[in-house]
Amino acid sequence: MKLLYDFAIKNLKENKKRTMVSIIGITLSCSLLFSIGFFASTYRDNAIREVIRYNGSHHIEFNNINTSKVDIIKKDLEVKDVVLKIITNYGTIKFGEYDSSIEVVALNLDYNNIFSKIIGRLPEKGNEVIISHSVSSSNNISIDNEIKVSNNKGDTNYKVVGIYFTDNRSAHAIYSKNRYTNETFFNYFETNKNSETNVFVTLKSTKHAHAKLANLAAKLELPFPDIDSTDSNQFMTINTGLLFLYGEITNKGTNAVISLTIMLISFVLSVICILIIYNAFTISVTERKRQFGMLSSVGASPMQIIKLVFIEVGIISIIAVPLGFIISILNVSFTLLILNKILEIVIVEPLRLSLFPFFILISLTFVLFSIFISALLPAARASDITPIEAIKLNKDIKIKRKRIKSNKLISKLFGIEGELALKNIKRNKKRYRTTTISIVISIVLFILISIYLNAISTSYIWNNDNADVSISIPEGDNQKNIIIEIKKIGEIKDIIEYKQQSQFIEPPQANFLYKDYLEVINEYSFPNHYISVILLEEEYYQKYMKKLGLKSYQPIILNYGEHPFHDEFFIDHSTYKGQFYNDDSRVYFNFCNFKDIDYKKISNCYYKMNNFLFVKEIPLIGKHYQDIIIVNKEVFHYLAEKKDNGNFSDNINDINMQITIKNPKIFDEEIKKIIEKHPNTFISYYNSKLDNQQNDLARLALKFALYSFSAFITLIAVTNVINSINTSINLRKTDFAILRSVGQTPKSFNKMIRLESIFLGLKSLFYGFLTSFGLIYTLIKINSLSYGDSEVVLPIPYTNMIVCIIAVFIIIFLSMQYATSQIKKDNIIETIRKENI
């Protein structure tokens, strides 16, 4: 054994170039497989933090425990933290005309630690509460106001002493979640001897958490739920989501899905890695056939030769596997660094590298499996080589009765060089098979990822308003001050103020409607019953009239836009885009009140509007799904006065603002300061530019991740292509020397090699595109099962296909040129006679 080991070491040292090629191939392959485990571990770590953020870091919640038993929990040696929650009251509170269900909760925590911000002070008595900013602003409840919670036991009055704000990091949801209540108020925590409380328990260690929690339940004399069927009973609720991610509670179905997914991905990548590693070992064995034959001639048994190959593989693996592990850590860390930078304004907490032993073990298993399978066949082939066979190399030169057919068209187009190149491709199928497979894999991966990313890029993103920011400030004492504060924000480039109301109209006459629009309306039976009336801020309105050339008042109507048409279930079936009305001075609208909700019975019509100025654009930026008319102040208020609102109010004195901005994130921070400064005013705010930027960043991050993954596999495949082409050319030195000996010129030789590169590239592209579109067709059929009769469209990436074609020919051409440049200077006679080991 020591002799084989010493021989293997000596052989690896003497063939440094071949050894380095093998080490690089295995290192890159191992890095790819380890990266899958690291990404899975990172996803698990992020999932744990998400579960903690939304469900809490506690491991179990005990319900309605007598306060006398809390000490039993606190004294348990396995318990780290205990949080008490008392539901002091519940019921309803009247907000305007509606009742909302309310839960009043007390915690033995500092409320400053579970809310992002609190205005006012904390409760100090049982009749004091802090309420959410949303409740305060939408219902005009201020600090020091009294609120009344009602239930079947009577009414309870509370004094509002503070208003709390929440964000994505706030932990209030953990302690206030209740699907039966709309809002949670928090008040002063105090306990009585015989009162009941909910207890949130966190263990010191999650190892054997199931047994520890069951033991704690036994101490409290409570039945523990059967984890296999449920995570709760009337006495307790286990945080199974968190414990599952820690690996302490097994959800067989979910665990199987995650494990099988990782194993499936690893298996697919293992096939790629096996091809690469197998190619490296096969090349090594092929180049050393005479060596193995000589070893057999001096008494080496087939098993000893197999052991020799596996010893070499083992030595290379000892170097390559740790290198692959380190490279994968660096690769994943760099990828996460870029992703965190891209997603800085999207994610709450940055992604971080995590090493979960189970997932790393799966990756390591596939690494070792890939190396073993890749080495097994070349080792068996090496052991099967006899001395005579190795010297004659008669398995490398097979004479077949069937002649390789030449293509007459190729001969006419490219001459004898083209015929030789095509025959070389056909004659050396096995040598070029790995090259072709490697290129095909890269093509398929590149095309599929390109199609997926094109589908994402061209997918419709909901954007109700093309304005960067939309803000609505309700009527009240603070309205003017808030508008002034907003206008002082330095990120604003332009701003439009307006008031708005919806009015009901008698459906316009058919001859007023544009023919295409009329056809769609008749098809969907969708007559217009309402219209949006706009009053621009006076200064801007005067500028707008001047821009349109209006010297006196004239109603301005938007005569171009989009209208969605839906069925009785409000499912959209079509969207009309274009002109609505004929540019006819006779067009008019009757503004009316209706007796019924179907708008068929008119009670009275109070205003007729005509003499419209038709425009295709208006100052209000965005998509509008109803007719819009811009009027002056007198008409606007007259219409508001005459309209029968019933139970519906337009809030016509609310000021709406549409703003174009520079940096959406900075503006968002500034506007939130203003909103917090006026907690009793419900300011409606939507930053579409920030949302779109976040969507763009999320797509960019996805593109980066997918392209990085594709590029890494392509790098491995290209390395394999270069290696296999180089080896194939080296093994054909004698063939090339013979051709040169019978008069082939360097020019003819170069032409033959270029044509061989072209034919190999065309073959690879044919199989690559065929496989890609076969998979695309399969994906479309699979997706069609989910979408029913709806057509699934996957955009063809023509640009990416052209890039792919160019890249394939460049890689093959450069590889061929590099390989042949090494043999051009060889002596013809010496090459033919060469028989050294």
Side-chain angles (χ1 to χ4, degrees):
M1 191 69 180
K2 186 177 185 302
L3 181 63
L4 290 174
Y5 177 78
D6 292 340
F7 187 83
I9 291 289
K10 185 176 181 181
N11 183 64
L12 292 173
K13 287 181 178 178
E14 289 183 354
N15 297 277
K16 291 179 181 177
K17 186 178 179 180
R18 188 172 61 229
T19 303
M20 285 302 300
V21 169
S22 299
I23 289 174
I24 291 171
I26 296 176
T27 298
L28 291 174
S29 302
C30 292
S31 176
L32 180 63
L33 291 172
F34 278 128
S35 295
I36 300 302
F38 289 145
F39 277 118
S41 299
T42 300
Y43 172 78
R44 169 187 170 272
D45 176 71
N46 187 64
I48 287 173
R49 289 185 288 162
E50 286 292 310
V51 169
I52 289 174
R53 183 158 53 248
Y54 292 107
N55 292 336
S57 59
H58 63 277
H59 300 132
I60 192 169
E61 176 187 358
F62 290 104
N63 305 319
N64 303 320
I65 299 295
N66 194 287
T67 51
S68 61
K69 292 186 176 182
V70 172
D71 285 340
I72 297 174
I73 300 173
K74 290 182 177 179
K75 290 178 181 178
D76 191 293
L77 297 177
E78 301 295 340
V79 172
K80 178 184 178 183
D81 292 320
V82 175
V83 175
L84 304 183
K85 168 187 171 181
I86 298 175
I87 302 173
T88 60
N89 200 359
Y90 61 89
T92 60
I93 184 171
K94 187 173 288 294
F95 293 144
E97 299 177 358
Y98 304 99
D99 290 338
S100 291
S101 54
I102 295 294
E103 189 175 65
V104 184
V105 170
L107 302 171
N108 66 333
L109 290 174
D110 183 353
Y111 293 131
N112 288 303
N113 294 332
I114 63 172
F115 300 116
S116 59
K117 184 177 180 180
I118 295 177
I119 296 175
R121 63 177 176 84
L122 300 179
E124 297 174 354
K125 299 177 183 178
N127 66 338
E128 297 178 343
V129 294
I130 56 174
I131 65 175
S132 67
H133 170 252
S134 60
V135 170
S136 168
S137 58
S138 60
N139 298 285
N140 199 26
I141 301 174
S142 304
I143 295 174
D144 294 331
N145 284 171
E146 294 282 338
I147 56 175
K148 181 171 65 176
V149 176
S150 305
N151 56 31
N152 55 6
K153 296 180 182 180
D155 298 337
T156 306
N157 292 320
Y158 293 94
K159 181 181 179 181
V160 177
V161 296
I163 297 169
Y164 66 81
F165 293 78
T166 62
D167 58 19
N168 289 333
R169 296 174 183 268
S170 296
H172 82 286
I174 299 165
Y175 304 110
S176 66
K177 58 182 180 181
N178 190 326
R179 60 178 176 172
Y180 302 111
T181 57
N182 300 121
E183 287 290 343
T184 303
F185 299 161
F186 293 86
N187 69 343
Y188 179 69
F189 180 84
E190 56 184 347
T191 59
N192 300 319
K193 287 185 177 180
N194 294 320
S195 61
E196 292 184 339
T197 178
N198 288 10
V199 184
F200 297 84
V201 178
T202 305
L203 300 174
K204 292 178 180 176
S205 171
T206 56
K207 190 173 183 180
H208 306 305
H210 181 279
K212 292 175 182 177
L213 296 177
N215 181 56
L216 185 58
K219 288 183 180 180
L220 297 171
E221 299 178 348
L222 298 174
F224 195 72
D226 181 6
I227 296 296
D228 293 332
S229 58
T230 182
D231 62 354
S232 63
N233 57 30
Q234 61 177 327
F235 303 104
M236 65 197 73
T237 301
I238 302 168
N239 196 347
T240 50
L242 183 60
L243 293 177
F244 166 73
L245 291 170
Y246 281 130
E248 291 302 319
I249 290 181
T250 304
N251 183 319
K252 293 180 180 178
T254 307
N255 195 50
V257 169
I258 294 174
S259 298
L260 287 174
T261 301
I262 296 171
M263 291 175 71
L264 179 62
I265 295 172
S266 298
F267 177 76
V268 172
L269 296 179
S270 291
V271 173
I272 298 172
C273 295
I274 286 170
L275 284 171
I276 295 161
I277 301 171
Y278 167 79
N279 187 47
F281 292 151
T282 301
I283 289 168
S284 175
V285 169
T286 303
E287 289 179 343
R288 295 161 58 200
K289 277 189 175 182
R290 284 194 177 92
Q291 186 188 73
F292 291 128
M294 293 295 291
L295 289 173
S296 296
S297 71
V298 295
S301 66
M303 185 54 67
Q304 286 177 319
I305 292 176
I306 289 175
K307 286 181 180 179
L308 175 64
V309 174
F310 271 104
I311 287 171
E312 290 184 9
V313 171
I315 294 170
I316 291 172
S317 299
I318 288 172
I319 299 170
V321 172
L323 277 176
F325 187 84
I326 294 169
I327 290 173
S328 62
I329 289 177
L330 297 174
N331 178 38
V332 173
S333 298
F334 177 74
T335 302
L336 294 178
L337 179 67
I338 301 298
L339 288 176
N340 285 331
K341 196 68 179 175
I342 295 173
L343 299 172
E344 187 176 5
I345 67 171
V346 178
I347 56 178
V348 177
E349 293 185 21
L351 302 169
R352 63 189 183 193
L353 179 65
S354 175
L355 306 181
F356 184 53
F358 177 71
F359 294 149
I360 306 305
L361 184 62
I362 291 178
S363 296
L364 181 60
T365 302
F366 276 96
V367 165
L368 298 178
F369 170 78
S370 301
I371 293 173
F372 176 77
I373 294 297
S374 302
L376 185 61
L377 190 58
R381 189 177 298 165
S383 69
D384 195 40
I385 298 172
T386 63
I388 300 299
E389 180 188 304
I391 293 169
K392 290 183 177 181
L393 294 177
N394 56 3
K395 281 195 175 181
D396 282 357
I397 305 170
K398 292 186 178 180
I399 307 299
K400 295 182 180 180
R401 291 183 180 180
K402 186 179 179 181
R403 291 182 58 191
I404 297 175
K405 294 181 180 180
S406 59
N407 191 304
K408 292 182 180 180
L409 181 61
I410 295 295
S411 298
K412 288 182 179 179
L413 290 175
F414 305 111
I416 187 65
E417 293 86 0
E419 188 174 348
L420 285 172
L422 187 60
K423 285 186 176 181
N424 285 338
I425 295 290
K426 291 181 177 180
R427 187 180 294 112
N428 296 282
K429 283 182 180 179
K430 287 186 178 180
R431 288 176 180 169
Y432 282 127
R433 187 173 294 159
T434 305
T435 302
T436 305
I437 292 173
S438 298
I439 296 173
V440 167
I441 289 171
S442 299
I443 292 170
V444 171
L445 190 66
F446 183 75
I447 295 297
L448 288 180
I449 287 179
S450 298
I451 288 173
Y452 180 62
L453 291 176
N454 281 0
I456 293 174
S457 300
T458 57
S459 61
Y460 181 76
I461 300 171
W462 173 251
N463 182 8
N464 186 48
D465 201 341
N466 290 336
D468 295 340
V469 173
S470 298
I471 299 175
S472 179
I473 303 105
E475 181 182 12
D477 297 336
N478 291 327
Q479 189 183 62
K480 290 184 179 180
N481 294 331
I482 293 171
I483 292 172
I484 292 170
E485 290 176 24
I486 291 174
K487 289 182 177 180
K488 289 181 179 178
I489 298 176
E491 295 302 311
I492 294 177
K493 291 196 292 186
D494 192 17
I495 187 167
I496 298 172
E497 294 178 46
Y498 64 96
K499 294 181 180 180
Q500 180 176 1
Q501 61 175 308
S502 292
Q503 286 281 341
F504 298 108
I505 59 171
E506 184 181 15
Q509 296 179 19
N511 61 312
F512 293 161
L513 300 176
Y514 190 66
K515 58 179 181 178
D516 294 341
Y517 186 49
L518 180 61
E519 288 178 7
V520 179
I521 284 180
N522 290 335
E523 180 182 353
Y524 287 94
S525 300
F526 189 84
N528 285 357
H529 286 298
Y530 55 90
I531 199 162
S532 184
V533 181
I534 301 295
L535 173 63
L536 293 173
E537 185 268 331
E538 185 62 26
E539 184 180 348
Y540 193 92
Y541 178 61
Q542 294 300 328
K543 289 181 180 178
Y544 183 54
M545 287 184 65
K546 187 175 180 181
K547 180 181 177 181
L548 295 175
L550 291 176
K551 295 183 179 180
S552 60
Y553 167 70
Q554 188 176 352
I556 303 163
I557 186 169
L558 177 65
N559 197 24
Y560 188 89
E562 294 183 12
H563 266 193
F565 292 91
H566 52 73
D567 58 21
E568 57 183 325
F569 302 106
F570 294 95
I571 298 175
D572 289 349
H573 288 281
S574 177
T575 298
Y576 172 82
K577 184 175 182 180
Q579 185 174 329
F580 301 142
Y581 302 100
N582 295 317
D583 290 338
D584 190 336
S585 59
R586 294 174 298 169
V587 174
Y588 69 88
F589 290 142
N590 276 329
F591 289 77
C592 307
N593 290 316
F594 289 83
K595 295 179 180 179
D596 61 329
I597 59 173
D598 294 326
Y599 311 115
K600 293 179 180 178
K601 298 178 181 179
I602 297 173
S603 62
N604 71 299
C605 292
Y606 50 86
Y607 190 78
K608 181 179 180 180
M609 186 178 291
N610 55 12
N611 189 31
F612 292 108
L613 175 66
F614 296 97
V615 296
K616 289 190 175 182
E617 293 180 354
I618 59 174
L620 303 177
I621 307 167
K623 297 175 182 176
H624 303 287
Y625 298 108
Q626 60 176 300
D627 293 340
I628 292 178
I629 296 176
I630 298 175
V631 299
N632 61 13
K633 189 184 296 183
E634 289 76 15
V635 175
F636 184 84
H637 288 295
Y638 178 81
L639 292 174
E641 181 183 342
K642 291 293 184 180
K643 177 184 174 184
D644 180 13
N645 288 311
N647 292 326
F648 175 78
S649 176
D650 258 330
N651 298 320
I652 64 166
N653 289 319
D654 290 0
I655 299 295
N656 301 294
M657 307 173 76
Q658 289 195 345
I659 307 171
T660 52
I661 57 175
K662 300 171 188 174
N663 188 311
K665 188 177 180 182
I666 296 175
F667 182 88
D668 184 69
E669 293 170 354
E670 293 297 321
I671 196 70
K672 284 180 177 178
K673 291 178 183 177
I674 296 173
I675 292 173
E676 290 180 4
K677 186 178 177 182
H678 301 277
N680 297 327
T681 303
F682 183 68
I683 301 172
S684 175
Y685 160 65
Y686 175 58
N687 191 332
S688 63
K689 187 170 185 178
L690 182 62
D691 280 358
N692 289 338
Q693 188 181 66
Q694 290 174 345
N695 290 335
D696 291 341
L697 290 175
R699 289 198 303 275
L700 180 61
L702 181 60
K703 286 183 178 182
F704 172 77
L706 290 176
Y707 274 131
S708 297
F709 177 70
S710 176
F712 194 71
I713 293 181
T714 302
L715 174 64
I716 297 174
V718 168
T719 304
N720 195 31
V721 169
I722 295 170
N723 190 21
S724 58
I725 288 178
N726 187 52
T727 302
S728 177
I729 295 296
N730 284 330
L731 292 175
R732 291 164 59 197
K733 282 183 178 181
T734 304
D735 295 350
F736 294 141
I738 291 172
L739 286 172
R740 290 161 64 195
S741 71
V742 295
Q744 188 179 38
T745 63
K747 183 179 179 181
S748 176
F749 178 79
N750 288 334
K751 183 180 178 182
M752 181 186 73
I753 292 299
R754 291 192 190 100
L755 289 171
E756 195 170 325
S757 302
I758 291 170
F759 295 150
L760 183 60
L762 290 173
K763 181 181 178 181
S764 302
L765 288 167
F766 173 76
Y767 287 115
F769 286 150
L770 186 67
T771 307
S772 298
F773 290 110
L775 288 172
I776 292 167
Y777 179 78
T778 305
L779 288 173
I780 290 174
K781 288 298 180 184
I782 291 172
N783 280 294
S784 296
L785 297 176
S786 301
Y787 291 99
D789 296 331
S790 301
E791 184 180 0
V792 178
V793 179
L794 293 177
I796 305 300
Y798 294 106
T799 304
N800 301 82
M801 289 173 65
I802 294 171
V803 170
C804 187
I805 292 169
I806 295 171
V808 166
F809 283 119
I810 288 175
I811 290 168
I812 294 177
F813 179 76
L814 291 179
S815 300
M816 284 282 199
Q817 286 296 108
Y818 171 76
T820 54
S821 67
Q822 306 297 310
I823 64 171
K824 285 180 180 178
K825 296 179 182 179
D826 290 350
N827 185 280
I828 296 174
I829 304 298
E830 291 298 322
T831 302
I832 295 173
R833 294 177 56 191
K834 192 174 182 182
E835 290 185 5
N836 63 323
I837 297 176

